[in-house]
Amino acid sequence: MEFRGIGVSSGIVIGKVFRLEKITYDIKPNWVRDTEVDEEVARFLKAIHTSKEQLLSIRKKIESLADTAQLQIIDAHLLILDDQMLVNETVEYIKRHRLSAEWSLKRVLDKIGEQFDKMGDAYLKERKDDLSHIGNRIFNNLFGYGHTNLADLKEDVIVVAHDLSPADTAQMRKERVIGFVTEIGSKTSHTAIMAHSLEIPAVVGVTGIYDAVTTGESLIVDGIDGIVHVSPPQPTFIAYLNKQRRYKYYERELLKMKDLPAITTDQKKVTLLANIEFIGEVKSVLERGGEGIGLYRTEFLYMNRFYPPTEAEHFRVYKSLAEQLSSYPSIIRTLDLGGDKFISQLDVYEELNPVLGLRAIRLCLEHIDLFKTQLRAILKASHYGKLKIMYPMISGLDELREANAVLKEVMDELRKANIPFDEEIEVGIMIEIPSAAITSDILAEEADFFSIGTNDLIQYSIAIDRVNKNVSYLYEPLHPAILRLIARVIESGHAKGILVGMCGEMASDPKYTLLLLGLGLDQYSTNSDALLKIKKIIRSVSYAEAREIAQQALTYCSASETEKFITNLMEERFPDVFCYFGDGDED
Ligand code: PEP
Ligand code: MG
């Protein structure tokens, strides 16, 4: 039986199912007597206390083994248990309505959940899952149910669950849990992020898998293509053994290049950096030979919480980043909230057109305190390593100057307080709005570097919502308009002697590597999975050849023509990168 979902962590595993039992709660509005109300409140508070103790004990167990992302998520869950809205409102509900702790908690969770739904942004909707994981833990303790401890597994298994909480995932040890599959989840869900940092093949969002398997059954999990096979017939089994072998071989071969420079055959050197959302990802970036962080999306620090992070929290994370990277640079992008990214913590009006609204740098310039808190923390941490600052969504020179004026103010305050920071810190901008790309010659005068954000640049240039499936067919990196803008930005940057990188998804796709190299891109910032594939391409071509290809690509009149040219060329030139391990049903 074949199931499809979202592959969130590469690799293929073949093994036995461990089905994590789904607990259902039968919660009814039971009344409590007047004389029992205090007792009921105490029972609820005890369940909160026990839940905290359980999470703290998980945290302690994984402290030395887990990476920061996992710890951060457990900490975020601990914070939810402290949340006034959750705890006080449930207590109030019990007292006011004289109803059981279970029912009162359910009502409060439903209410908070509804508020999340109303916020209408995808990131926050996913955080609703966190709330429900915490809710289930409290219910378990109220009902007195036990918890399956994934840390105690005695043999290698593939965990299949309706849903996995980050606490469950954090306890998984790679030696025992060789893969997992869940019905709930998406690419940016916490379970997916955990799978990535644990480097366990996983497929999430697999509808119906929970009822289709029993513990002990054999399973194939293909995290590359998001496919799961339950009790596969022998030919499928053999085909996947082959696919697994090819994939492992390919990975091993790529890893051999980890310490080699990204240099062309005629000695043109480029820099390969990585994009991260959590600092826990740094380890895998370094293991794949990344030379630094080209985009740290700091808005993820705002996840799972009802209040923005404090300066001390920001500082701790940035200092850790600076220290882990030592001499390698890390580009910290200042808050890019708004648009399709959550803004619930800020008191901003709902907008008709949020993607064109008060987002990113505009939002920071409107909420100066919020901006200053982050800038102060970055500057302080810059004393401990090589940090750079990058502003998102700059539309023109005035905005850049305004942001820099705030930065200067923060710098003056730090100097006055004798707090050390890197006086030479570089301050660059993302080029992701057409107006910035067109005026890049002007912006290059006052920015220390450029990083092209193709995700938004394509969205705004072609006028297509990047998360709207109906128009996704128009999302074309090879549209002549996009190629001309990229070429222009690189030229303007070079004319003023500043470095031009790219951190949009286009940089992560090996199909575009040669073209971008030929356009003169200095720096690629990619998903860590893509780093070595891109290095392989760069090391096997000459810059002269890449330039010719780029010139040729610029002559086409439509995206489809350029696409045909580039796809044929790349597949022919690099068959191992583009058709390397088949689809599992061939040898
Ligand atoms: C981009 O827009 O290309 C980019 C890298 O930023 P984000 O995807 O976070 O908007
Ligand atoms: Mg962007």
Side-chain angles (χ1 to χ4, degrees):
M1 223 180 330
E2 181 183 317
F3 289 81
R4 284 188 182 255
I6 307 161
V8 290
S9 187
S10 291
I12 293 162
V13 276
I14 300 172
K16 295 257 175 279
V17 172
F18 175 83
R19 198 170 88 139
L20 195 68
E21 286 313 310
K22 182 161 60 174
I23 302 175
T24 45
Y25 308 97
D26 184 19
I27 302 171
K28 297 205 175 79
N30 292 332
W31 300 98
V32 289
R33 290 198 198 105
D34 281 357
T35 49
E36 290 170 350
V37 167
D38 286 349
E39 222 174 281
E40 196 62 9
V41 169
R43 199 166 71 82
F44 170 67
L45 293 177
K46 183 159 178 273
I48 294 277
H49 181 74
T50 312
S51 304
K52 264 193 218 167
E53 301 238 291
Q54 287 164 344
L55 284 182
L56 283 169
S57 128
I58 293 172
R59 195 187 190 288
K60 202 152 184 244
K61 259 194 224 156
I62 64 168
E63 217 159 34
S64 57
L65 302 157
D67 66 27
T68 341
Q70 296 172 354
L71 293 177
Q72 255 178 31
I73 292 171
I74 300 286
D75 285 346
H77 279 201
L78 279 162
L79 274 176
I80 297 178
L81 282 170
D82 273 332
D83 186 71
Q84 295 306 310
M85 194 146 70
L86 181 74
V87 180
N88 291 0
E89 287 208 13
T90 306
V91 169
E92 276 308 301
Y93 202 97
I94 299 173
K95 287 184 178 166
R96 200 169 342 114
H97 301 282
R98 285 188 287 115
L99 282 161
S100 67
E102 287 86 348
W103 183 260
S104 305
L105 174 64
K106 181 180 174 327
R107 293 308 300 254
V108 171
L109 285 172
D110 287 348
K111 193 174 130 200
I112 302 177
E114 274 165 29
Q115 285 171 6
F116 274 12
D117 284 342
K118 270 196 217 128
M119 286 159 187
D121 63 66
Y123 283 102
L124 211 77
K125 278 205 175 122
E126 258 158 30
R127 304 294 75 82
K128 218 178 118 178
D129 294 346
D130 293 300
L131 195 68
S132 104
H133 291 143
I134 287 295
N136 285 348
R137 183 168 289 280
I138 309 171
F139 283 132
N140 263 3
N141 289 317
L142 282 170
F143 282 108
Y145 295 153
H147 289 270
T148 311
N149 196 342
L150 290 173
D152 296 340
L153 289 167
K154 297 284 181 286
E155 54 177 352
D156 290 0
V157 292
I158 298 171
V159 172
V160 177
H162 170 65
D163 189 13
L164 280 173
S165 76
D168 291 329
T169 331
Q171 290 184 88
M172 289 181 181
R173 297 272 60 88
K174 237 168 137 174
E175 313 85 66
R176 286 287 170 252
V177 179
I178 56 171
F180 69 81
V181 184
T182 59
E183 295 193 312
I184 300 283
S186 69
K187 261 206 184 311
T188 50
S189 63
H190 270 147
T191 316
I193 291 162
M194 289 289 211
H196 224 273
S197 64
L198 284 167
E199 296 178 3
I200 302 178
V203 182
V204 301
V206 187
T207 316
I209 188 78
Y210 183 79
D211 289 327
V213 295
T214 47
T215 293
E217 214 170 352
S218 34
L219 202 72
I220 297 173
V221 177
D222 176 351
I224 307 161
D225 294 321
I227 300 173
V228 180
H229 287 276
V230 182
S231 288
Q234 205 177 15
T236 313
F237 189 72
I238 292 167
Y240 269 93
L241 278 177
N242 282 328
K243 184 170 176 179
Q244 187 185 41
R245 186 171 42 79
R246 282 195 291 265
Y247 183 72
K248 281 189 178 157
Y249 171 78
Y250 178 71
E251 284 257 273
R252 262 199 314 276
E253 284 301 298
L254 282 180
L255 272 170
K256 287 185 188 155
M257 287 187 319
K258 150 185 185 305
D259 297 317
L260 301 175
I263 196 165
T264 60
T265 52
D266 50 357
Q267 307 302 303
K268 159 100 175 154
K269 164 92 178 75
V270 295
T271 315
L272 298 188
L273 307 175
N275 296 347
I276 58 166
E277 270 96 46
F278 289 96
I279 57 165
E281 295 170 82
V282 167
K283 193 170 134 259
S284 80
V285 171
L286 295 175
E287 279 169 5
R288 288 175 173 78
E291 301 167 272
I293 302 302
L295 168 65
Y296 173 26
R297 291 185 163 101
T298 58
E299 49 277 11
F300 281 78
L301 286 172
Y302 287 63
M303 278 187 357
N304 271 323
R305 47 193 304 155
F306 299 109
Y307 304 103
T310 61
E311 181 185 318
E313 285 174 89
H314 277 293
F315 173 71
R316 232 187 354 259
V317 176
Y318 305 152
K319 179 169 177 268
S320 158
L321 183 66
E323 288 175 343
Q324 284 185 66
L325 267 300
S326 70
S327 61
Y328 284 141
S330 291
I331 301 178
I332 300 184
R333 178 174 75 183
T334 58
L335 295 186
D336 187 0
L337 294 176
D340 62 332
K341 297 180 186 159
F342 47 99
I343 47 168
S344 50
Q345 296 151 359
L346 299 174
D347 194 14
V348 290
Y349 297 110
E350 224 167 83
E351 294 175 310
L352 207 55
N353 254 324
V355 175
L356 301 179
L358 192 64
R359 58 170 293 198
I361 195 71
R362 306 164 185 185
L363 190 82
C364 286
L365 292 172
E366 185 75 21
H367 293 263
I368 295 281
D369 284 346
L370 189 88
F371 192 32
K372 278 182 142 182
T373 301
Q374 186 179 31
L375 290 176
R376 209 174 300 117
I378 303 175
L379 286 173
K380 281 183 174 175
S382 70
H383 182 62
Y384 299 89
K386 197 165 166 41
L387 298 185
K388 301 185 185 191
I389 294 173
M390 178 160 75
Y391 304 132
M393 301 278 301
I394 290 288
S395 63
L397 191 61
D398 286 335
E399 226 167 18
L400 171 59
R401 286 184 174 162
E402 215 183 312
N404 274 337
V406 179
L407 180 67
K408 185 176 172 303
E409 245 178 71
V410 178
M411 286 179 162
D412 288 343
E413 287 162 15
L414 290 179
R415 282 187 201 107
K416 249 188 229 143
N418 279 327
I419 297 173
F421 65 92
D422 177 7
E423 293 274 357
E424 304 298 316
I425 192 163
E426 284 182 37
V427 185
I429 60 174
M430 289 203 57
I431 302 284
E432 51 184 343
I433 299 186
S435 59
I438 293 163
T439 57
S440 50
D441 54 327
I442 301 170
L443 290 164
E445 297 273 1
E446 300 189 25
D448 292 329
F449 61 89
F450 284 159
S451 185
I452 306 172
T454 46
N455 307 345
D456 278 315
L457 187 63
I458 296 171
Q459 155 165 270
Y460 294 122
S461 305
I462 308 182
I464 35 140
D465 180 349
R466 70 193 244 194
V467 294
N468 182 340
K469 280 194 194 136
N470 299 330
V471 288
S472 61
Y473 72 99
L474 282 172
Y475 197 86
E476 291 166 324
L478 295 181
H479 191 296
I482 304 298
L483 291 190
R484 287 180 196 191
L485 286 176
I486 293 172
R488 181 181 177 93
V489 174
I490 296 174
E491 259 169 45
S492 317
H494 288 175
K496 294 288 173 334
I498 68 168
L499 191 139
V500 183
M502 179 180 285
C503 59
E505 283 301 307
M506 190 176 179
S508 289
D509 190 335
K511 190 159 83 176
Y512 308 125
T513 304
L514 207 49
L515 168 65
L516 295 172
L517 176 73
L519 289 173
L521 194 73
D522 304 301
Q523 194 166 281
Y524 297 66
S525 189
T526 76
N527 305 328
S528 63
D529 280 350
L531 280 167
L532 288 164
K533 289 179 205 158
I534 287 169
K535 188 184 280 188
K536 185 175 164 70
I537 293 176
I538 288 169
R539 288 183 56 83
S540 49
V541 296
S542 71
Y543 184 49
E545 183 193 355
R547 284 206 75 83
E548 263 176 43
I549 289 164
Q551 287 319 307
Q552 173 80 23
L554 284 169
T555 63
Y556 294 107
C557 301
S558 73
S560 55
E561 286 169 40
T562 328
E563 177 75 36
K564 201 164 139 213
F565 167 64
I566 292 292
T567 307
N568 288 344
L569 180 114
M570 295 305 278
E571 283 183 359
E572 206 167 290
R573 193 84 166 64
F574 304 97
D576 51 338
V577 177
F578 295 96
C579 353
Y580 57 138
F581 39 71
D583 54 10
D585 42 35
E586 49 166 283
D587 189 302

